Amino acid sequence: MAEDPLTEVSRPERCAQVAYFTMEVALVDALPTYSGGLGVLAGDYLRSAADLGLPLVAVTLLYRQGYFRQEIDEHGRQSEQPVRWSPEAALQPLELAVGVEIEGRSVRARAWRYEIVGATGWRVRVYFLDSDVEGNEAGARSITDQLYGGDGRHRLSQEALLGIGGVELLRALGEEEISTFHMNEGHSALLALRLAEIEQDKRGDAALAAVMAEVRRRCVFTTHTPVAAGHDRFPADLVAAVLGEGRTTALRQLGFLEGGQLDMTDLGVGCSRFVNAVSRRHREVTRRMFPQVGVRSITNGVHSVRWASESVGRLFDDYLEGWRRDSSLLRYAATIPLEDVAGAHRESKSRLLDEVARRTDADLDPAALTIGLARRVTPYKQTTLLFSDLDRLRALVNVAGPLQVLCAGKAHPRDWLGKEMIEQLSEAARALAGEVTVVFVENYDLELAALLCAGSDVWLNNPAKPNEASGTSGMKAALNGVPSLSVLDGWWIEGWIEGVTGWAVGGADEGDDSAGALYDKLELAVLPTFYGDAARFAEIRRSAIALNGSFFATDRMVREYARAAYLL
Ligand SMILES: *Cc1c(COP(=O)(O)O)cnc(C)c1O
């Protein structure tokens, strides 16, 4: 990659060198083919790749029902509705289809294209594979119906389409010069099997070791979570039923069916020349999981232009010329007058509170310390920790000042414990009525995330360590001058300076993150600063921007991948 991205785009359009495969991607609201952090990260990453003129294409699937639209009843019970959207309105159809052998029949998939236009006009193309085409029988048509829906058979069929179909698609498009296949998590790892088959065909009777060396030369793998649910494993008989005997035999010969199952992370890792985790702490955790692999780390980021609120974007335009092309310039936020930082945030907050009041009829106080508590709801995220001792919470509010909490997040349709947590949040809201305002806003999505991350006063995150590989919503908050109150896990270990960029909950050790530590920090540090020292709080906002907004950004991240993983 050239040092100056501006010179990159004058280059003629040419074949991609990197193909980025991802099960989900969050590009715009009109494309609901994402569930949460993984897809949002992919979307931000691809935008920055376009901004920087990277020769990259992306492959994903087109889910006609999206993930789901969340509805919450008065008891806090979640129900799921299909998302209604029209691919025709958001994507360009291509006159092109690929076939993949799935469950003994040829499944055809058509492709749709979305073009991301970068800051200087460079285009990154994203291809969506869609099995809902005429000629496929009903079972085949529904392979791409829903993201993370269905059983293991459905999931493996989707992953076969993504990995194997994705490689076929790129060949059909004439993208022959791809030197790097980047697997964004294990879902697409079957692409390596398809590359091995192609290599084998090319070499005739070449030894397996030589074929695999070539595959490994071309693949890069990013792992995104140490949590078991993030690593798909399929029993060998299901693999045989979905992929067929030939491919099952090949996987067995390659050693990927050991223990009677196919582990997609093992497959991806085992077929890659470069494997990385998404924060420094996550690298340590991943090294314990894969001691035989030299795992590297590239810390995640967010797309600064996309996530800066309107008022914060204007503030940066006024003081930090060039930040839209280079987020490292946010470092100079340290020179912005504090009253302007506070003013920009006040506008973000008022937009958030107006929107929440409009959606929920909640009675919100613009002067009250507002905590943002929003992300996927699942046990390891411990979303209900703040409400584990309501008397303690009441007592600290009486001493230190009012508090309002804005919650949002979806639980996977079969994550019963996650769904229960949403019910507990609504119970807590009822129990605290009149003392602490707690509002659950349904259907967490890109738009709501942008409002919450920018408009809250403090961003709360207290997952069980060491399960948060990175986390990105705190980065969106920091960019907008919203400090984090977070356990020391994931990105926060790298972004945290106590009392300067935000606050830690508990210490560095695992298990050391109790509700008591959270209440203490709120009572003794966060609330007194907010109500007692507005100038100090504005300074913390400014430092969050200067120290964290300037680094936890996808343009920095894409540059790191280009240098270390893609060798561009
Ligand atoms: C950023 C984002 C996430 C990821 O949040 P984490 O804090 O990393 O868990 C999830 N969902 C949406 C809609 C987001 O914008």
Side-chain angles (χ1 to χ4, degrees), residues 533-554:
D533 194 346
R536 178 89 200 90
F537 208 92
E539 249 175 72
I540 294 171
R541 293 198 188 292
R542 193 171 65 179
S543 304
I545 298 167
L547 293 170
N548 289 343
S550 63
F551 181 79
F552 297 98
T554 38

Side-chain angles (χ1 to χ4, degrees), residues 34-37 40 307 374-375 381 444-446 449 468 471-474 476:
Y34 70 95
S35 132
V40 175
W307 290 106
R375 54 190 51 84
K381 294 277 196 181
Y444 193 42
D445 63 2
L446 295 176
E468 184 89 318
T472 53
S473 57
K476 300 168 195 163

Side-chain angles (χ1 to χ4, degrees), residues 266-344:
D266 284 344
L267 178 61
V269 167
C271 292
S272 291
R273 67 169 189 246
F274 178 97
V275 176
N276 76 290
V278 293
S279 72
R280 287 171 172 232
R281 167 58 55 86
H282 182 224
R283 176 183 56 189
E284 292 166 30
V285 175
T286 306
R287 279 186 170 169
R288 274 181 256 149
M289 295 167 69
F290 300 98
Q292 72 284 11
V293 182
V295 179
R296 313 269 287 275
S297 80
I298 296 176
T299 300
N300 281 345
V302 296
H303 191 275
S304 318
V305 173
R306 173 190 208 172
W307 290 106
S309 75
E310 213 179 291
S311 55
V312 167
R314 254 187 283 121
L315 177 76
F316 295 167
D317 285 339
D318 286 348
Y319 288 98
L320 307 171
E321 202 200 323
W323 76 279
R324 289 174 185 270
R325 297 274 178 87
D326 178 359
S327 57
S328 73
L329 294 173
L330 296 177
R331 187 180 190 288
Y332 300 106
T335 59
I336 302 178
L338 287 178
E339 57 273 21
D340 291 351
V341 173

Side-chain angles (χ1 to χ4, degrees), residues 26 28-30 32 34-36 40 68-70 83 306-307 355 359 374 408-410 441-453 476:
V28 285
D29 283 315
Y34 70 95
S35 132
V40 175
F68 65 86
R69 190 165 56 80
Q70 178 192 53
V83 184
R306 173 190 208 172
W307 290 106
E355 181 61 20
R359 291 192 196 186
K410 295 176 179 176
V441 190
E442 62 188 5
N443 206 40
Y444 193 42
D445 63 2
L446 295 176
E447 187 195 352
L448 183 55
L451 286 168
L452 279 166
C453 290
K476 300 168 195 163

Side-chain angles (χ1 to χ4, degrees), residues 484-507:
S484 278
L485 169 62
S486 170
V487 299
L488 290 172
D489 202 7
W491 83 280
W492 188 232
I493 296 173
E494 297 166 47
W496 162 69
I497 303 173
E498 184 67 15
V500 175
T501 56
W503 301 270
V505 175

Side-chain angles (χ1 to χ4, degrees), residues 203-221:
R203 294 182 180 225
D205 56 357
L208 207 53
V211 168
M212 284 315 288
E214 175 58 19
V215 170
R216 219 168 276 128
R217 209 178 56 73
R218 300 179 75 187
C219 293
V220 163
F221 187 91

